[in-house]
Amino acid sequence: MKNSLDEIIDSGLAHAFPFFEDHPEMIKLLRDMSMAVCADCASITPEMPQFPVLLAEKAFALFGANFSAMLGQVESLDPEFKVACSDGCSYCCSSHITLTPQEAFRIALHLAANCSEDEFVRLTEECMAAAGDFVPGQLKEFAQNYFQPCPFLKDNRCSIYEVRPILCRNWISTDLEACKKSFNMKNKVTVPQNALIMVQKDLVFTGQQAYLAGFSIEGGIGSFMPMIAQILTDFESTYTKWLLGEKLNGQM
């Protein structure tokens, strides 16, 4: 937690920088955009009611604006670039998903407000079952071997669409056949992605992680199922521990 703002942002974007190594101006732009995300959170503080909700909603809005702008740029430069995703397509919904703690708390509160008690219990149990193979310290192995339908997938549609993780919003494809092949091979085949579009999620993740570090709160991304299972099982205790600087289950 003693890392500087620059160190957190450089670390969070390190995996993306090699894509732009011949374009230092792009690397600077990405760093500046992530810094801007951090600065834009300044009015949201941990003592506020609904703190994680406010952060998550801020992240959704920032990501949405950046994503739409970048998608428009890519489409204008490459007329052949066409998003193949469509309503009811769920080939990517059995994949391992990462998200931030604030996104996970936002989803839990959405479920508490919109589900019946029986449905809430059922979803909690399904998330616990999906996270069952997770072993602390072995996140890489869990992610590599994870392949099962998301508990929130109903009739090939996302039942939490309005609060779905940013990664799900960012995960697009231009090749439906590649998606089918990846699904049939249990994600052992990579679906081609556009680096400029896919990095948009990382700008938001890293910017908010840097902001939370100022309060000694762990803001790094983590595995969806272990994290949401912990939160749904004991929201109040988990939230208190997070505010005090503890990592959540599955958090990197």
Side-chain angles (χ1 to χ4, degrees), residues 105-115 120 159-163:
F105 285 117
R106 177 70 184 94
I107 291 169
L109 290 169
H110 172 84
L111 295 174
N114 292 280
C115 293
F120 188 90
S159 64
I160 57 167
Y161 191 79
E162 64 185 271
V163 293

Side-chain angles (χ1 to χ4, degrees), residues 200-236:
Q200 298 308 308
K201 67 183 184 305
D202 303 299
L203 303 179
V204 176
F205 291 160
T206 304
Q208 289 207 340
Q209 180 182 2
Y211 179 69
L212 287 168
F215 299 100
S216 296
I217 296 174
E218 291 284 356
I221 59 174
S223 182
F224 189 9
M225 287 300 112
M227 191 184 296
I228 195 66
Q230 179 186 9
I231 293 172
L232 292 177
T233 303
D234 187 356
F235 184 97
E236 293 297 335

Side-chain angles (χ1 to χ4, degrees), residues 49-117:
Q50 302 285 295
F51 172 60
V53 172
L54 295 173
L55 270 184
E57 295 292 346
K58 172 73 74 174
F60 294 159
L62 291 170
F63 168 79
N66 289 346
F67 178 80
S68 296
M70 191 56 64
L71 180 60
Q73 288 282 345
V74 171
E75 289 175 334
S76 68
L77 294 171
D78 182 4
E80 300 297 317
F81 187 93
K82 302 294 180 185
V83 177
C85 308
S86 61
D87 187 29
C89 177
S90 60
Y91 289 111
C92 61
C93 298
S94 295
S95 304
H96 180 261
I97 298 296
T98 53
L99 78 174
T100 62
Q102 53 270 31
E103 291 180 274
F105 285 117
R106 177 70 184 94
I107 291 169
L109 290 169
H110 172 84
L111 295 174
N114 292 280
C115 293
S116 66
E117 183 176 350

Side-chain angles (χ1 to χ4, degrees), residues 9-238:
I9 288 178
D10 284 343
S11 175
L13 298 179
H15 67 287
F17 288 160
F19 293 108
F20 309 102
E21 60 185 356
D22 293 330
H23 299 279
E25 74 283 0
M26 282 301 304
I27 292 178
K28 181 180 185 303
L29 175 62
L30 296 177
R31 294 186 77 261
D32 288 347
M33 290 176 70
S34 200
M35 290 277 193
V37 170
C38 179
D40 203 41
C41 295
S43 62
I44 304 173
T45 55
E47 64 271 12
M48 287 181 168
Q50 302 285 295
F51 172 60
V53 172
L54 295 173
L55 270 184
E57 295 292 346
K58 172 73 74 174
F60 294 159
L62 291 170
F63 168 79
N66 289 346
F67 178 80
S68 296
M70 191 56 64
L71 180 60
Q73 288 282 345
V74 171
E75 289 175 334
S76 68
L77 294 171
D78 182 4
E80 300 297 317
F81 187 93
K82 302 294 180 185
V83 177
C85 308
S86 61
D87 187 29
C89 177
S90 60
Y91 289 111
C92 61
C93 298
S94 295
S95 304
H96 180 261
I97 298 296
T98 53
L99 78 174
T100 62
Q102 53 270 31
E103 291 180 274
F105 285 117
R106 177 70 184 94
I107 291 169
L109 290 169
H110 172 84
L111 295 174
N114 292 280
C115 293
S116 66
E117 183 176 350
D118 288 346
E119 186 178 12
F120 188 90
V121 170
R122 177 182 60 79
L123 286 169
T124 299
E125 291 175 347
E126 289 182 8
C127 290
M128 291 174 65
D133 292 335
F134 174 72
V135 176
Q138 297 182 19
L139 179 56
K140 183 177 180 180
E141 292 81 357
F142 178 77
Q144 289 176 336
N145 296 319
Y146 187 94
F147 185 82
Q148 54 186 306
C150 177
F152 303 112
L153 183 66
K154 305 301 176 188
D155 299 322
N156 286 330
R157 285 173 171 80
C158 180
S159 64
I160 57 167
Y161 191 79
E162 64 185 271
V163 293
R164 69 195 186 285
I166 285 176
L167 179 59
C168 300
R169 301 165 192 243
N170 201 174
W171 205 330
I172 63 172
S173 171
T174 59
D175 187 345
L176 182 58
E177 291 306 312
C179 295
K180 292 178 180 178
K181 186 175 182 179
S182 180
F183 177 83
N184 291 332
M185 296 293 291
K186 296 186 176 181
N187 291 338
K188 302 306 180 185
V189 176
T190 301
V191 177
Q193 300 286 346
N194 180 283
L196 275 174
I197 293 176
M198 290 304 294
V199 77
Q200 298 308 308
K201 67 183 184 305
D202 303 299
L203 303 179
V204 176
F205 291 160
T206 304
Q208 289 207 340
Q209 180 182 2
Y211 179 69
L212 287 168
F215 299 100
S216 296
I217 296 174
E218 291 284 356
I221 59 174
S223 182
F224 189 9
M225 287 300 112
M227 191 184 296
I228 195 66
Q230 179 186 9
I231 293 172
L232 292 177
T233 303
D234 187 356
F235 184 97
E236 293 297 335
S237 176
T238 301

